[in-house]
Amino acid sequence: MTRLYVIRHAEAEGNLYRRVHGWYDSLITERGYRQIAALAGRFEGEHIDAVYSSDLFRTRTTAGAIYRTHGLELTVRRSLREISFGAWEDRPWGELGHDHADALRLFDTGSGAFRAPGGETFPEAGARVTAAVRQIAKNHPGQTVAVFSHGTVIRQLQGAVQGLAQEELHVLGHADNTAVTCIEAGGDTLRMIFHNDNSHLPEEISTLAHQTWWKAQNGAVKDPSLRFRPLDMEREARIYHDARREAWINIHGTLEQFDGEGFVRDALAQWRYDRRAVTAAFLGEELAGLIQMDLRRDAEKGVGYIPFFYMMPGRRKQGLGVQLLGEAVSVYRPLGRKYLRLRCAPDNYVAQRFYRRYGFCKAAEAEGTRVPLDIMEKYIGYD
C-alpha cells in the first residue's frame, strides 16, 4: 500500500491580490512562508520516501517544507499544475465578475461546462492530475510520498477518489493553503483517508480564516475584488488632481507647496507614453482608488516605480489596497522589473505599516525633496 500526502501550495500572490493564477507563475506571500514553516513542523517526524511537485514556483517553494528538511530531491511534474485559465490568467477576479459574470458563475458553481477561453474544463484538469497521482503511486509501491499541487485540481482528485459526480464536489469544501489530503493507493484502487486538513495552521496564518469567498455558497458575502482600467488623463484629469489634493492635505494638513498642475502635467506625460501609467481601481462601478506607474523611470535598474498610490477615503482600511499592488506587479513583472519602488513619508505611520505588511522595506532616504521621504522597495522577481 502506498501512502500519498497531497498538499496544496502555500498562500501565493493570486490568493492575496485577488487575481486568477492557474498556470501563471506567482510568488509566495509573507504569510505563505509562515505556512511553509508550520507545514515543515507538521512533517518533521514523518518518514517520507519521495517528494513531487508541479513545476510552478509556488508549489516548488512549498515543497521545500519536506524535501529540504528530509534530505530528498524534488521531482517536478508539469501534469500536477492547476487548471489552466487560458486568456483569464492574471486577470483580476473583479474584472471577470464585471465583464464575464455568466462564465464566472459556472466556475464558482464548479460546473463541468466551465472553460475559460483557451483553458481547461474541470474534468480535463481533474483527469490530468488524477492520472499523474496514479502514476506516482505506481512508481513508489509501499512507500510514502508527498505530492504538492493546487486547490482546484486537488478537489477534482478528491472527487475522483470518492467517486463523486462533478455537481457533487461542493460537499468536499475548500482546501486551505498547505492543507493536507491523505490517499492510500493499492493496485488501481485509491482510498481517501482524510482531506483538507489544516490543523498545523494557527488561525492567524490560515488563508481561509482571513477570507470569505469560500463561504459564499452558504450565503456569505464574497471578498470584494477590484477591477482596473486606465484613467483617461485628457478627459478625467480632475479625478487625478482631486485625489492628489486630498492625499496632500491628509498627509501635510495644508495645501502649502501643493502643485496640482505639476502633478497632472507629469502624470499626463507618463500616460501618453503608456496608458496604464494612471490606472483607476473600481469596486463594481464605484471608484475605489488610483495607482500611478512611471514605466520609464529607473527601468535600467530593473525597478517599477510608483509615483502615486491612493485609496478613496471611504474605501480605506478595508483590505483593498493590496490589490492595487497586485496590479502594479502585473504591469511591471512582464517588463522584467525585479523591484517595486515608491516613496513614503516616515511619519505617515498608516502607510508605512501598510507597505511593510506587504513586503516593502526602507532602501534609502530620498534626497532633494520638500519633505523627508523614505524610499521603499519590494522584491517581485523569482528567487
Side-chain angles (χ1 to χ4, degrees), residues 157-229:
L157 171 66
Q158 293 168 348
V161 173
Q162 294 282 77
L164 299 177
Q166 185 66 39
E167 60 271 15
E168 297 176 304
L169 297 191
H170 64 89
V171 302
L172 295 168
H174 294 275
D176 206 343
N177 291 109
T178 70
V180 181
T181 292
C182 182
I183 295 172
E184 286 189 346
D188 292 328
T189 301
L190 298 178
R191 183 168 68 95
M192 193 155 68
I193 307 303
F194 59 80
H195 73 291
N196 299 348
D197 180 22
N198 68 344
S199 58
H200 56 285
L201 297 179
E203 183 172 327
E204 62 268 20
I205 63 171
S206 161
T207 300
L208 293 188
H210 293 83
Q211 297 178 342
T212 62
W213 63 266
W214 54 281
K215 302 177 184 177
Q217 64 188 35
N218 299 322
V221 177
K222 277 192 172 184
D223 297 288
S225 297
L226 301 177
R227 62 184 180 90
F228 300 88
R229 71 162 174 82

Side-chain angles (χ1 to χ4, degrees), residues 65-109:
I66 295 181
Y67 84 84
R68 285 183 175 146
T69 57
H70 288 65
L72 299 170
E73 292 187 2
L74 177 64
T75 302
V76 172
R77 292 286 184 268
R78 183 183 174 91
S79 54
L80 293 171
R81 280 189 176 190
E82 179 62 289
I83 185 173
S84 169
F85 286 98
W88 281 18
E89 292 286 351
D90 199 37
R91 295 174 69 179
W93 289 109
E95 174 190 327
L96 299 175
H98 184 269
D99 297 344
H100 306 281
D102 290 341
L104 186 59
R105 193 172 299 111
L106 291 177
F107 174 78
D108 287 342
T109 57

Side-chain angles (χ1 to χ4, degrees), residues 116-190:
E120 295 176 292
T121 65
F122 287 115
E124 288 171 348
R128 165 171 56 78
V129 170
T130 300
V133 169
R134 286 186 179 278
Q135 185 59 54
I136 290 170
K138 290 180 180 179
N139 292 346
H140 298 275
Q143 295 185 321
T144 300
V145 183
V147 179
F148 289 82
S149 190
H150 304 260
T152 298
V153 292
I154 289 175
R155 196 183 198 196
Q156 294 295 129
L157 171 66
Q158 293 168 348
V161 173
Q162 294 282 77
L164 299 177
Q166 185 66 39
E167 60 271 15
E168 297 176 304
L169 297 191
H170 64 89
V171 302
L172 295 168
H174 294 275
D176 206 343
N177 291 109
T178 70
V180 181
T181 292
C182 182
I183 295 172
E184 286 189 346
D188 292 328
T189 301
L190 298 178

